[in-house]
Amino acid sequence: MRKTALLILLVGFIFAFFSLPFAGVDLLLDPVGWLLVWNSLRALRLTHKVFGASVPVSMGLVVVSALRLFLGWALGQTILSALEPLLLIVLFLLLARAFASLLAEEGHPADRKADLCVLMANLLPPLLSLLGLLPITLGSWVLWLSTII
């Protein structure tokens, strides 16, 4: 069940962070991706309680991305674009904590300095991408996620 939930999480991130434009329409809708992320985190929460805190944040991303999709660019870009990066940062921090806890449960040694380096290496690319400084890094973060599945 855990491997399936992690695969669904990966597919959700692909939908949320990549775009596949066709005739001016993005075929990979962000709300669908965040809904997959939310669904996989709910499943992971059943076996690993540490994922429970990320479930409401992922639901917030579902709502915000759906509102941005249906309200259009004018309102969606002004009001909701301030909320989405905050939710993403919180989600990434919660997921980093959850994955660190998951590794600790499986007997991987805990080293604070190594954990901090891994956390920064995994959070820095998406955060820089959110700020518009590094547009390709969210894709690399999703590819990294696929390596731990």
Side-chain angles (χ1 to χ4, degrees), residues 15-32:
F15 267 78
F17 293 135
F18 289 101
S19 63
L20 184 63
F22 179 74
V25 177
D26 185 10
L27 298 179
L28 300 176
L29 296 174
D30 290 352
V32 173

Side-chain angles (χ1 to χ4, degrees), residues 19-135:
S19 63
L20 184 63
F22 179 74
V25 177
D26 185 10
L27 298 179
L28 300 176
L29 296 174
D30 290 352
V32 173
W34 292 121
L35 193 61
L36 289 170
V37 168
W38 172 74
N39 193 31
S40 67
L41 291 175
R42 281 185 337 130
L44 286 169
R45 178 184 61 181
L46 297 176
T47 55
H48 306 285
K49 300 295 181 200
V50 71
F51 285 97
S54 57
V55 173
V57 177
S58 60
M59 178 48 77
L61 284 164
V62 170
V63 171
V64 167
S65 63
L67 287 174
R68 285 184 66 194
L69 180 68
F70 293 117
L71 291 179
W73 284 100
L75 184 61
Q77 289 298 347
T78 56
I79 298 170
L80 299 174
S81 23
L83 184 58
E84 189 173 23
L86 294 174
L87 288 173
L88 277 170
I89 290 169
V90 170
L91 181 67
F92 288 141
L93 289 172
L94 290 172
L95 286 178
R97 185 187 70 164
F99 283 122
S101 174
L102 187 64
L103 288 173
E105 282 179 16
E106 293 183 356
H108 295 282
D111 181 10
R112 289 286 179 200
K113 288 183 182 178
D115 289 345
L116 181 62
C117 290
V118 168
L119 177 67
M120 290 311 296
N122 293 316
L123 289 180
L124 194 58
L127 296 179
L128 288 176
S129 181
L130 287 174
L131 297 173
L133 301 175
L134 214 51

